[in-house]
Amino acid sequence: MHKSLSLFLLLIINFSASAQYNLFLNVKNIFEDGKYEKCLKKTSALLKKEVNKKEPVLYLYKSMSLFKISQNEDYDSKYQALKYALKAANKAKLKDKNERLIPKYHSYIERLQNTTHKIAFHQYEEEGEYSLAKSYYNELVDLCNDTLALYMSGKCDVLNERETEGYRSISKVVEANHIHFLKTKEKNASSYTMPAFYDMASYLLEKA
């Protein structure tokens, strides 16, 4: 009786795992066929079900679909799509507890990061939309531990007359670069390191 019950439970577990794998394979195939809006709708629908909410791969394919949609110049809400792509990627990272999935998609995360920097800097430099630029940069800080994004987020706060928050972020950048130097002894600093040090020094002198 005990063996029969164990076998029955094992069959249920295997069936469930197989069904879940087929579900993800279906999503992958839709994406690889270039049907990005369909993939977005599929992943969004699946993520409404409680059983799927812990699956990082669904968030990742949702993110990749949104990113592809954001690359379409004819799409009216491409900037909005990029922002949601970042949010979905961060959700995938959060759900990827064992860090097995995200490293496999490093090239995608890198493309997302580079594209976001370009869009955010355009909003910062050309449009003067500091709050919007900051929202992009903050997503990158969470997703990639991006110190350049953290520095720019701080600059956005300063220009939005939120000096305390802004210089707190810039201080973290200075500290992170100092720790990196102590660990690696690399003498070639990032292009934003000296401006970050200068900004922080100017602020401290002003407050002295």
Side-chain angles (χ1 to χ4, degrees):
M1 179 66 180
H2 180 70
K3 287 184 178 179
S4 298
L5 182 60
S6 298
L7 182 61
F8 177 69
L9 289 172
L10 185 62
L11 287 170
I12 289 176
I13 292 168
N14 286 338
F15 177 78
S16 177
S18 177
Q20 201 77 341
Y21 175 76
N22 289 334
L23 192 68
F24 298 151
L25 191 61
N26 179 243
V27 168
K28 182 175 183 286
N29 289 337
I30 293 171
F31 180 83
E32 290 182 349
D33 285 343
K35 299 173 182 176
Y36 306 124
E37 291 194 21
K38 183 179 178 180
C39 189
L40 174 59
K41 289 177 183 177
K42 182 75 172 177
T43 52
S44 297
L46 288 170
L47 285 167
K48 287 179 182 178
K49 297 178 180 179
E50 199 62 37
V51 69
N52 295 323
K53 288 184 178 180
K54 293 182 179 179
E55 298 295 343
V57 70
L58 289 177
Y59 292 102
L60 192 64
Y61 272 97
K62 180 178 180 178
S63 175
M64 292 193 295
S65 298
L66 282 160
F67 180 70
K68 286 291 187 180
I69 290 168
S70 77
Q71 301 294 288
N72 185 350
E73 292 296 330
D74 297 327
Y75 188 69
D76 292 337
S77 303
K78 62 179 183 177
Y79 290 159
Q80 198 73 0
L82 179 62
K83 187 180 290 187
Y84 283 121
L86 287 161
K87 288 182 179 298
N90 267 314
K91 199 77 172 181
K93 181 182 177 183
L94 183 67
K95 300 295 181 181
D96 188 24
K97 303 291 186 184
N98 297 320
E99 298 183 1
R100 292 177 180 174
L101 180 70
I102 297 299
K104 292 179 183 178
Y105 289 84
H106 174 74
S107 59
Y108 163 64
I109 298 298
E110 195 173 73
R111 285 198 307 276
L112 179 60
Q113 182 182 19
N114 291 338
T115 300
T116 303
H117 266 296
K118 289 176 185 176
I119 297 297
F121 190 73
H122 173 78
Q123 295 298 329
Y124 171 89
E125 185 74 9
E126 303 297 329
E127 305 293 337
E129 293 284 351
Y130 305 125
S131 295
L132 180 57
K134 176 181 166 64
S135 68
Y136 286 119
Y137 286 129
N138 285 350
E139 293 291 342
L140 284 183
V141 172
D142 292 338
L143 182 62
C144 312
N145 298 319
D146 189 329
T147 49
L148 172 56
L150 182 59
Y151 172 60
M152 293 305 298
S153 176
K155 294 282 284 183
C156 289
D157 273 331
V158 171
L159 290 168
N160 267 337
E161 299 182 351
R162 292 166 53 90
E163 282 195 348
T164 302
E165 294 85 351
Y167 284 109
R168 188 182 296 129
S169 295
I170 294 172
S171 176
K172 287 179 181 177
V173 172
V174 170
E175 184 180 353
N177 276 282
H178 179 61
I179 290 170
H180 178 73
F181 171 75
L182 291 176
K183 285 181 178 179
T184 64
K185 302 301 181 185
E186 286 183 8
K187 294 183 179 179
N188 295 326
S190 301
S191 59
Y192 60 89
T193 302
M194 289 312 296
F197 272 96
Y198 177 80
D199 287 345
M200 202 64 225
S202 298
Y203 174 69
L204 293 173
L205 284 170
E206 185 181 312
K207 292 296 177 182

